[in-house]
Amino acid sequence: MTQDASQDTFISHLVELRTRLLRAVVAVLAVFVVLFIYPGPSAIYDMLAQPMLASLPEGTRMIATGVITPFMVPVKVTLLASFVLALPVVLYQAWAFVAPGLYRHEQRLALPLIASSTLLFLMGMAFCYFVVFGTVFHFIANFAPESITPAPDIEAYLSFVMTMFIAFGVTFEVPIAVILLVKSGIVTVQKLRSARGYVIVGAFIIAAVVTPPDVVSQFMLAVPLCLLFELGVLVASSLKKQEAQARDDDESDEDLDTDEIAPRND
C-alpha cells in the first residue's frame, strides 16, 4: 500500500469516527431536550433524591449552598439520565465503527458482550438505587444522634450517588471480565476457582475503599461482587465445554471424511 493510499485510509477512518461521535452526541442531546421539556430537571432530581428524602426526618429537606447549584445540579442529573437512556445508540455507534475491522467470529462474540455488559451495568445501577440507597440511608439516619438534624447538600448528594452508581455498575461487569479473561487464555477456570479465597478478600477491600465507611454498604457491594464472580466462572466453564465439544465434533467429522475417502484411494 502506498503512502497516499494509507493516508487516505487514515483520513477516512477519522471521518467515520467523527460521524459516529456526532450521531452519539445528537442522540444524547435529543433525549436531553425531551427530558428537559418533560418531566423536567426538577422532577428527575426529585426522583433521584427520593431514597434520601425517605430517610430524612419529617419536614426536613435537602439544601443547596451554592448560588447556581439549584439550577446546575438538576441539569447535570438530566444530562446523565439522557446519556443512560441513549446508551444503546452510543454503544451501537461504537460497534458500527469497530465492526468492519473484526473477524466474523469476533463479531459474533463482541455484539453479545456489548449488549450484556450494558444490561449488567444498568442492573447494577438499579440494584444500587432500589436496594442499596434505601438500606444505607436508613441505617445512617438511625445511627445519627438525636441532637443532629440531617440536611444533605444536593451537590454532595449527587457526587455520592454517582460514585455509588459507578461502583455498582462496574461491579456487575465482573462476569464479563471473567469470561473475557478465560476466552483470551490469560487465566483458566481452574485457576479462578483456586483463587476464590483471594477474590473474597479483594471484594471486601474494594468495597471498603469505594463505599461509605459503614458496614452495610460495604457488605452490600462485596457480596454481589463475590456472587457475580462465581456466575462468571460458571458461564466461562460452560463456554469452554461447548468449545471443546465443538472441536471434538469437528475432529469426528474429519475422521469420517477420511474413512470414506480411503477405500476409493485403494
Side-chain angles (χ1 to χ4, degrees):
M1 182 180 292
T2 63
Q3 184 176 358
D4 292 339
S6 61
Q7 186 175 1
D8 291 341
T9 303
F10 178 73
I11 293 175
S12 65
H13 284 315
L14 288 179
V15 172
E16 176 71 11
L17 177 61
R18 183 191 63 180
T19 302
R20 297 296 178 184
L21 287 174
L22 285 175
R23 291 177 181 176
V25 171
V26 168
V28 174
L29 291 179
V31 177
F32 175 78
V33 171
V34 173
L35 292 180
F36 196 91
I37 296 174
Y38 181 83
S42 298
I44 294 174
Y45 183 85
D46 289 341
M47 184 183 303
L48 182 66
Q50 188 57 40
M52 172 60 77
L53 295 175
S55 66
L56 294 177
E58 186 176 356
T60 304
R61 305 176 68 179
M62 302 176 71
I63 64 172
T65 57
V67 177
I68 62 173
T69 302
F71 171 78
M72 290 303 302
V73 171
V75 170
K76 290 179 182 179
V77 172
T78 305
L79 185 59
L80 292 171
S82 304
F83 178 78
V84 171
L85 292 177
L87 192 58
V89 178
V90 174
L91 292 177
Y92 173 78
Q93 296 301 325
W95 159 254
F97 177 73
V98 302
L102 300 176
Y103 293 106
R104 188 177 299 275
H105 68 279
E106 292 176 335
Q107 292 180 0
R108 288 197 299 266
L109 178 64
L111 192 56
L113 285 177
I114 291 174
S116 58
S117 61
T118 304
L119 179 61
L120 286 171
F121 193 90
L122 295 178
M123 288 176 60
M125 293 179 62
F127 177 78
C128 184
Y129 179 82
F130 291 105
V131 179
V132 177
F133 282 167
T135 305
V136 171
F137 294 154
H138 277 91
F139 172 80
I140 295 175
N142 293 330
F143 185 81
E146 294 184 0
S147 58
I148 296 177
T149 301
D153 176 65
I154 61 173
E155 196 164 14
Y157 177 74
L158 176 61
S159 177
F160 170 81
V161 166
M162 292 308 304
T163 301
M164 294 291 285
F165 276 161
I166 293 173
F168 278 86
V170 172
T171 296
F172 273 62
E173 299 291 333
V174 167
I176 303 298
V178 171
I179 293 171
L180 289 176
L181 288 174
V182 174
K183 290 284 290 183
S184 60
I186 297 176
V187 295
T188 62
V189 175
Q190 290 74 18
K191 286 184 178 180
L192 288 174
R193 286 173 175 167
S194 63
R196 183 178 286 114
Y198 297 101
V199 172
I200 294 174
V201 174
F204 279 91
I205 293 175
I206 293 172
V209 172
V210 302
T211 59
D214 65 272
V215 178
V216 177
S217 57
Q218 294 173 8
F219 187 79
M220 296 186 75
L221 178 62
V223 172
L225 184 56
C226 296
L227 295 177
L228 290 165
F229 170 79
E230 294 295 335
L231 175 62
V233 171
L234 289 176
V235 174
S237 177
S238 176
L239 291 175
K240 280 296 182 182
K241 290 179 180 179
Q242 292 178 5
E243 290 179 359
Q245 183 64 38
R247 285 196 299 267
D248 293 340
D249 293 341
D250 292 339
E251 291 176 359
S252 299
D253 293 340
E254 291 177 359
D255 293 339
L256 289 175
D257 293 338
T258 303
D259 293 339
E260 292 176 356
I261 294 173
R264 287 198 291 262
N265 291 336
D266 293 337

